[in-house]
Amino acid sequence: MWPLYASGFTTAFGAHGIAANLGGHGNGAVTSLLVLGGLLALYDGAEVVLKPVFGTLADRIGARPVLLGGLVAFALASALYALADSPGWLWAARLGQGAAASAFSPSASALVARLNPAVKHGRAFGSYGFYKSIGYTLGPLLGGVLVWAGGLRLLFTVLAVLGATVALWAALAVPDVPPLPKARQTLLDLGRRLADPVFLAPTAALAAATAALSVGVGFLPVSGRAAGLGTVATGAAVSVLAGCAAVVQPRAGRALDDGRLTTRTGLAAGLSVTAAGLACAMLPGLTGILVGAALIGVGTGLITPLGFAALAAGTPVERLGQTMGTAELGRELGDAGGPLLIAVVASLATLTYGYGALAALIGLGAVVVLARCRRVSAVPER
């Protein structure tokens, strides 16, 4: 399992480590905010388009080859800019990293489910989410140190070495899990399965959690600066958010496996706590920011392992790659949609109303999860 956890860390560290440092250290490649936005969107854009494709491929040929191929491609894409060091190759490297992560991220999730019995899915996905959260936390910090010491080329070099090391580790330690035979699936069958609440409810919850996490990381520092707080205080808020998410995920997974928590109540509680955190962020001053960050972290930490465990429990084993890839697409849409909603509402009113709008939307989601899951006996109450 450890190489799979390392794969989760790699995609998170690569995404946030570079994104947090492009604006200030673009070495001539970032000439405007529009260019910066394009470079940031390349990684996520590739994931939105390709994750369902690679997830389906993992079901067809096996998740392990797709995992290894994605990690090797990530290492090569990172090495591309480390060697070339030119603005044009930065665009190519960032696109290549996003495409590679689209391959190994859903494959790793599928392997976490395949290599663990159903009664341990909560623990497994909780641990996977923990190490991914560590990557999100260390990415901006350690990435900034590397860029300060040797520029973007050093950061890309470290990512190339990391990708190659994890690929070698996975090749030696991850067992081969052959694809399972499956019945022919039409587009109508796929549409029905993806529209089923067994898939839709946990995926929507994961998307909401990702939206709140993205908003917290991106906009809580803005609230801090508006309140006259320094960079240390605003940085502490983001660290509190990421730290709470990392700590809660393994505990939520164990509670699910031990029967102390069900997917229905856990997802509803996570959405409710996340909404409460966004509501607290509406309060002025440091207290509102820190309490909001902590609650958003706890809420998203509850949702993530429970959501993935519910997807694994409600999916035919032979379709796990496709399901995980499509669920990751939902998370990417939440990652983009949350900040976009906040920005639109803030432009029409204020940032406070933006927090309120997302809090109301996620709070409504908690009510819907409770109402719909009561009527869906197909989701195992674990």
Side-chain angles (χ1 to χ4, degrees), residues 1-377:
M1 292 300 297
W2 288 104
L4 301 180
Y5 298 156
S7 298
F9 173 87
T10 299
T11 184
F13 181 77
H16 278 208
I18 295 176
N21 291 284
L22 276 175
H25 304 277
N27 291 341
V30 180
T31 56
S32 68
L33 290 176
L34 182 61
V35 172
L36 176 60
L39 282 168
L40 293 175
L42 271 179
Y43 194 100
D44 291 330
E47 289 189 309
V48 166
V49 173
L50 294 176
K51 274 186 173 179
V53 176
F54 282 117
T56 302
L57 181 65
D59 289 334
R60 183 171 300 173
I61 68 172
R64 184 174 180 271
V66 179
L67 173 78
L68 297 179
L71 288 167
V72 170
F74 185 87
L76 292 175
S78 302
L80 185 66
Y81 179 74
L83 295 173
D85 191 23
S86 69
W89 288 114
L90 177 59
W91 287 81
R94 196 64 177 153
L95 179 61
Q97 286 180 328
S102 303
F104 71 79
S105 182
S107 300
S109 298
L111 284 167
V112 168
R114 287 287 303 273
L115 295 175
N116 288 276
V119 294
K120 293 186 177 180
H121 277 171
R123 285 178 171 84
F125 281 109
S127 297
Y128 181 73
F130 171 81
Y131 288 103
K132 206 165 184 178
S133 294
I134 295 298
Y136 286 133
T137 304
L138 289 182
L141 177 62
L142 184 56
V145 172
L146 291 171
V147 169
W148 170 80
L152 276 177
R153 291 185 71 183
L154 178 59
L155 176 55
F156 273 86
T157 299
V158 170
L159 289 173
V161 174
L162 177 63
T165 301
V166 176
L168 179 61
W169 190 8
L172 295 174
V174 175
D176 188 23
V177 181
L180 298 174
K182 49 187 174 290
R184 183 178 178 84
Q185 177 182 252
T186 66
L187 288 176
L188 183 59
D189 294 331
L190 175 61
R192 286 172 178 167
R193 188 161 64 83
L194 298 185
D196 193 317
V198 172
F199 171 84
L200 202 55
T203 301
L206 288 168
T210 308
L213 185 63
S214 182
V215 165
V217 171
F219 286 93
L220 285 179
V222 177
S223 297
R225 287 194 294 271
L229 303 175
T231 55
V232 173
T234 55
V238 175
S239 297
V240 166
L241 191 159
C244 287
V247 169
V248 167
Q249 288 191 61
R251 289 167 171 77
R254 286 196 295 270
L256 178 67
D257 291 340
D258 295 340
R260 293 180 282 115
L261 190 65
T262 67
T263 53
R264 175 173 63 85
T265 56
L267 290 178
L271 289 168
S272 300
V273 173
T274 302
L278 288 164
C280 287
M282 299 171 66
L283 302 175
L286 180 61
T287 300
I289 294 172
L290 288 178
V291 173
L295 290 178
I296 292 171
V298 170
T300 57
L302 268 172
I303 293 167
T304 302
L306 303 187
F308 278 115
L311 287 170
T315 301
V317 178
E318 67 273 15
R319 302 285 183 190
L320 274 173
Q322 185 182 72
T323 294
M324 294 303 176
T326 309
E328 288 281 1
L329 168 60
R331 295 186 76 196
E332 294 298 332
L333 293 176
D335 194 19
L340 181 60
L341 173 64
I342 291 285
V344 170
V345 175
S347 66
L348 297 175
T350 64
L351 182 55
T352 299
Y353 286 100
Y355 291 137
L358 186 58
L361 189 60
I362 293 178
L364 178 62
V367 175
V368 171
V369 166
L370 278 172
R372 298 195 73 171
C373 286
R374 281 197 183 100
R375 299 194 299 267
V376 180
S377 59

